[in-house]
């Protein structure tokens, strides 16, 4: 055994153990007093990270539950408001039912006054609860609650949110079908029984009756989303028994119902539009025929003098004769004598476009050198009368007499044009433009090659061009030598002097030893040779100056009056000019916001080339635009429709864009020719135009219509309330799940972060005993060196 004074190993060991025991005691006391197992990151770094994440999740869920409860409270408030609107509908139905009775002998105006107040109160309360059109809560409401997990292409935020879609649950009068769009006839013309322009006087007027396509039936035409352009819907009204405004409305609504029951897609769209006839009474007491819809913007126009008069287009306030709807076009010169025959065998193509035709209609007449003018005119008249497209557009041959100008008419009051090719002798008086390969080619072409050219140097010949159906452009050219190339060079030199031909890309070259004319820009064109030498190989005609028919001779008394539904979003009249050149494609983009605020767009390209003639006329442009809109299958965009309109009876045709939905924009593209739609490079914004309709019960017929509308309104209100109720249940279920998650996450954090006090109490007792024992042992270890003194004293 050895003894050391300088180093007391026992004391050092005792001190170390005593330090460890003291540290354990301090931690144990901290855990007991705080209740936490982890006092610092050193205690359990991984556990602390997990616990902090769980604590953060708890904070999110805690606030998320409050969010859901706030949403639940909002929906409960909305639900209460809908319950009150339901009571208002009950009162409105009571008033309407009372007024709808044929035995009611009281004052309907008093009933109607209260009825109007009820409708206005529905609007006020719908706005108060935020479920009016465009209201605070009339959209898709997403409430973030938390606790979501990402997976399957769904983000954590999306999974942790509850969405309530109230965008289609608006409950104002318009949404319930009690207010909407309205197209009304001329209000200054009175249809009342005592008026000179009463319904009975209009219906029995002999001139009006003569204009009817089918005796005893008058026609109206409707255009709207899904039934625009060529798909417009004809409503034929049986006039039997119609002698007053009430019987007129009944007959028109019956005809509307019949038209809506058709088997076509446009008939279904028309039926779904909910268009109804009504009588509109102005402040002066004048009664006019009107049409209303709760959901659709539309346009209505007359199809004969009777319907035109019923829409207020009469000769005067004292004459019930409807204004004429006839629009006429006649050839530039008279046809040849009856026995005149054609100079060559081939096909004459007569092209008609406009008057609602979605694309040009070509009538082909096969002629030989034995065919007489009389025979050709008879064939033309038969072909036009048997063409379903032309009949639907109201176009017919009015005059087809040899020796007189050919005359075509439209009884719909719409402009149209007539052109021809292949009649190189201008026998029919419609022009002598050649077809693509002489007698049997196409109406127009992007390239055509001459034949049997009598190339003669230094001899002039005049060529006339029509680009895309436009007015003739003349050049006079000659060849320097007796070669096709020299002729082509001479033609090109003259083309260079005409900017319109240069823009159309017209050039001359040589193919197969003959002069060829073609367009480098894919422009459609026709060519006519003035003279009888056939120098360039494109035919001969001695009728100088008659190559282009005069197609602008409308009946000066023509009146076209279309009525566009007020209360709808409209751009107003946007000007249109036909696209002529193949390189002048124009892009039109329509955009509208859906109920959630998302922008929906559709674009359509208008052009006139070998692939499409969508920009060749205002009618073809409307067809292309409406077709593109319907193909989107987007409910927001499908509320839009393009209709033909004009500023006045004699004004130029343009396009008006309509929608019963929210505001929208039309972005007008640019092209090199400055043709097509509108002021190029601009954006046209829609605005509410005119006054819409409001249900009323001022007459028995209107009251009966109101009863039906209110029945639908109750159903619509129930659907809206169901959506609100579903939302309340969604929030309740979401709160339940979030609360369960919150409890379990809190328990999980507790197991990681909180101290086990029973275990810590035992550890505290143990450390206290060890501390006491360590202090005693340290004292003894410190006294051990003193034992060495005993050795020194010895």
């Amino acid at each position: 055994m050895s003894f050391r004074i300088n180093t007391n190993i026992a004391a050092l060991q005792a001190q170390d153990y005593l330090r460890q025991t003291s540290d354990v005691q301090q931690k144990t006391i901290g855990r007991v007093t705080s209740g936490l197992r982890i006092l610092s990151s050193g205690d359990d770094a991984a556990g602390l990270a997990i616990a902090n994440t769980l604590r953060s999740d708890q904070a999110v869920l805690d606030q998320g539950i409050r969010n859901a409860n706030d949403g639940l409270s909002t929906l409960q408030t909305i639900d209460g408001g809908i319950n009150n609107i339901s009571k208002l509908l009950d009162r409105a139905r009571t008033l309407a039912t009372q007024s709808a009775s044929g035995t009611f002998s009281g004052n309907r105006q008093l009933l109607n006054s209260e009825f109007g107040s009820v409708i206005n109160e529905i609007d006020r309360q719908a706005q108060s609860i935020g479920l009016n059109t465009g209201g605070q809560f009339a959209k898709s409401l997403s409430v973030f609650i938390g606790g979501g997990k990402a997976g399957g292409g769904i983000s954590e935020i999306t999974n942790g949110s509850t969405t309530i879609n109230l965008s289609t649950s608006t409950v104002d009068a318009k949404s319930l079908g009690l207010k909407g769009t309205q197209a009304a006839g001329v209000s200054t013309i009175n249809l009342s029984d005592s008026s000179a322009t009463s319904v009975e006087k209009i219906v029995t007027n002999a001139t009006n009756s003569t204009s009817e396509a089918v005796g005893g039936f008058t026609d109206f035409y409707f255009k709207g989303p899904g039934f625009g352009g060529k798909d417009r819907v004809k409503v034929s009204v049986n006039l039997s028994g119609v002698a007053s405004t009430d019987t007129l409305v009944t007959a028109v609504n019956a005809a509307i119902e019949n038209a809506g029951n058709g088997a076509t897609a446009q008939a279904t769209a028309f039926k779904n539009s909910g268009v109804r006839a009504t009588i509109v009474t102005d402040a002066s007491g004048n009664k006019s025929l009107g049409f209303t819809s709760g959901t659709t913007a539309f346009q209505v126009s007359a199809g004969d003098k009777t319907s035109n008069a019923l829409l207020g287009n009469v000769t005067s306030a004292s004459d019930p004769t409807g204004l004429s709807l006839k629009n006429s076009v006649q050839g530039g010169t008279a046809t040849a004598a009856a026995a005149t025959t054609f100079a060559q065998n081939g096909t004459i193509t007569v092209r008609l476009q406009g008057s609602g035709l979605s694309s040009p209609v070509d009538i082909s007449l096969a002629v030989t050198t034995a065919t007489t003018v009389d025979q050709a005119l008879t064939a033309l008249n038969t072909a036009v009368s048997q063409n379903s497209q032309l009949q639907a557009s109201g176009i017919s041959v009015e005059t087809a007499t040899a020796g007189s100008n050919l005359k075509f008419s439209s009884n719909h009051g719409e402009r149209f044009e007539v052109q021809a090719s292949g009649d190189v002798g201008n026998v029919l008086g419609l022009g002598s433009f050649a077809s693509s390969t002489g007698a049997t080619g196409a109406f127009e072409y992007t390239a055509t090659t001459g034949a049997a050219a009598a190339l003669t140097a230094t001899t002039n010949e005049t060529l006339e061009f029509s680009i895309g159906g436009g007015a003739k452009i003349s050049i006079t050219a000659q060849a320097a030598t007796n070669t096709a190339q020299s002729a082509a060079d001479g033609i090109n030199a003259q083309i260079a002097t005409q900017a319109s031909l240069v823009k159309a890309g017209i050039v001359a070259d040589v193919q197969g030893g003959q002069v060829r004319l073609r367009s480098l820009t894919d422009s459609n064109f026709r060519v006519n040779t003035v003279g009888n030498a056939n120098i360039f190989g494109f035919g001969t005609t001695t009728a100088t100056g008659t190559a282009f028919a005069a197609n602008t001779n409308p009946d000066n008394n023509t009146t076209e009056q279309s009525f566009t539904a007020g209360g709808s979003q409209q751009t107003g009249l946007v000007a249109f000019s036909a696209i002529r050149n193949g390189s002048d494609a124009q892009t039109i983009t329509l955009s509208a916001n859906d109920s959630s605020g998302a922008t929906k767009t559709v674009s359509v390209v208008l052009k006139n080339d070998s692939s499409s003639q969508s920009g060749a006329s205002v009618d073809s442009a409307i067809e292309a635009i409406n077709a593109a809109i319907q193909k989107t299958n987007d409910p927001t965009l499908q509320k839009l429709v393009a209709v033909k309109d004009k500023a006045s009876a004699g004004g130029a045709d343009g396009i008006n864009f309509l929608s019963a939905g929210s505001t929208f924009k039309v972005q007008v593209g640019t092209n090199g020719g400055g043709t097509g739609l509108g002021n190029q490079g601009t954006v046209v914004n829609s605005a509410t135009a005119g006054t819409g309709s409001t249900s009323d019960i001022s007459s028995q017929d209107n009251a009966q219509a109101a009863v039906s509308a209110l029945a639908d309104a109750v159903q619509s209100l129930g659907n809206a309330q169901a959506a609100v109720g579903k939302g309340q249940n969604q929030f309740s279920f979401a709160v339940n799940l979030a609360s369960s998650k919150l409890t379990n996450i809190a328990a999980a954090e507790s197991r990681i972060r909180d101290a086990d006090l029973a275990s810590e109490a035992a550890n505290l007792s143990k450390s206290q005993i060890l501390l006491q024992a360590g202090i005693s042992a340290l004292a003894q270890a410190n006294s051990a060196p003193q034992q060495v003194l005993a050795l020194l004293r010895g």
Side-chain angles (χ1 to χ4, degrees), residues 645-706:
D645 210 345
K646 55 187 179 182
S648 61
D653 289 332
I655 300 177
N656 190 2
F657 295 86
L658 322 175
S659 174
S662 60
T663 57
F664 63 91
K665 298 178 180 180
V666 179
Q667 184 173 343
V668 181
T670 61
N671 63 23
T675 53
L677 184 69
N679 187 6
Q680 296 196 346
T682 62
V683 175
V684 184
N685 295 299
S686 72
T688 302
T691 303
S693 65
T694 300
S695 294
D696 74 85
I697 57 173
S698 58
S699 67
Q700 181 183 357
D701 191 76
N702 287 354
Q704 290 173 347

Side-chain angles (χ1 to χ4, degrees), residues 8 10-11 13-15 17-18 21 767-784:
N8 190 341
Q13 289 178 337
Q15 288 176 31
Y17 288 131
L18 188 60
T21 301
S767 61
Q768 288 174 341
I769 294 172
L770 289 174
L771 187 60
Q772 292 174 7
I775 292 172
S776 177
L778 179 60
Q780 293 180 17
N782 286 336
S783 64

Side-chain angles (χ1 to χ4, degrees), residues 481-751:
T481 63
N482 296 341
T483 65
Q485 186 60 59
S486 178
D489 292 340
I491 292 172
N492 284 331
Q494 293 304 309
I495 287 175
T497 67
Q498 294 289 335
S500 298
L501 296 180
V502 173
K503 286 182 179 179
I506 304 298
V507 297
D509 58 17
V510 177
Q511 185 180 60
Q514 297 291 332
V515 177
R516 178 177 65 169
L517 296 171
R518 62 191 180 100
S519 169
L520 300 179
T521 60
D522 201 33
S523 299
N524 294 308
F525 68 93
R526 290 174 295 156
V527 65
N528 176 65
T529 302
V530 179
N532 58 10
N534 194 29
I535 293 175
F536 300 128
F538 297 104
T540 62
T541 177
T542 58
T544 304
T546 61
F548 189 75
N551 293 318
T552 54
N553 298 321
D555 184 335
N556 291 329
N557 294 323
T558 296
T559 299
E560 178 193 4
Q561 187 75 45
S562 295
F563 297 89
T564 302
S568 61
Q569 290 289 319
Q570 301 181 27
T571 59
L573 183 66
V574 182
F576 182 87
S577 60
I579 294 174
R580 302 300 186 189
N581 296 332
S583 60
D584 287 346
Q586 182 188 37
T587 300
I588 309 298
T589 302
L590 293 86
S591 59
N593 292 338
D594 65 13
S595 54
S596 67
T599 301
K600 306 291 185 177
T601 62
V602 58
S603 296
V604 59
V605 177
L606 303 180
K607 56 185 178 178
N608 187 1
D609 57 23
S610 61
S611 66
S612 171
Q613 293 180 314
S614 56
S617 69
V618 65
D619 297 279
S620 59
I622 287 173
E623 174 64 20
I625 292 169
N626 286 335
I629 290 171
Q630 292 304 310
K631 285 180 181 178
T632 64
N633 291 323
D634 184 277
T636 299
L637 293 174
Q638 286 182 324
K639 291 181 180 179
L640 295 166
V641 65
V643 297
K644 187 160 60 175
D645 210 345
K646 55 187 179 182
S648 61
D653 289 332
I655 300 177
N656 190 2
F657 295 86
L658 322 175
S659 174
S662 60
T663 57
F664 63 91
K665 298 178 180 180
V666 179
Q667 184 173 343
V668 181
T670 61
N671 63 23
T675 53
L677 184 69
N679 187 6
Q680 296 196 346
T682 62
V683 175
V684 184
N685 295 299
S686 72
T688 302
T691 303
S693 65
T694 300
S695 294
D696 74 85
I697 57 173
S698 58
S699 67
Q700 181 183 357
D701 191 76
N702 287 354
Q704 290 173 347
V707 169
S708 298
L710 285 163
D712 294 337
V714 170
Q715 181 65 44
S716 298
L717 187 71
N719 293 339
Q721 193 160 22
V724 173
K726 183 181 72 172
Q728 293 182 61
N729 290 336
Q730 281 184 249
F731 281 142
S732 295
F733 293 138
V735 167
N736 291 341
L737 177 59
S739 296
S740 175
K741 284 185 176 182
L742 183 63
T743 300
N744 290 319
I745 291 174
E749 185 201 6
S750 176
R751 283 190 287 271

Side-chain angles (χ1 to χ4, degrees), residues 138-223:
K139 56 186 177 182
S140 182
L141 304 172
S142 180
V143 177
F144 181 65
I145 298 174
K149 299 296 179 185
I154 300 175
S155 68
E156 182 178 335
I157 298 298
T158 301
N159 185 248
S161 302
T162 295
T163 301
I164 309 299
N165 187 7
L166 298 181
S167 60
T168 59
S169 300
T170 49
V171 293
D172 55 344
K174 183 177 181 180
S175 300
L176 296 178
L178 304 178
K179 286 185 177 180
T181 60
Q182 176 176 276
V186 180
S187 61
T188 56
I189 301 302
N190 192 359
L191 298 181
S192 298
D193 293 348
S194 58
S195 170
T197 54
S198 69
V199 171
E200 183 176 15
K201 290 183 174 65
I202 289 173
V203 170
T204 57
N205 181 277
T207 303
N208 291 341
S209 299
T210 302
S211 72
E212 295 162 5
V214 177
F217 288 81
T218 187
D219 296 334
F220 295 89
Y221 289 91
F222 291 85
K223 302 172 186 176

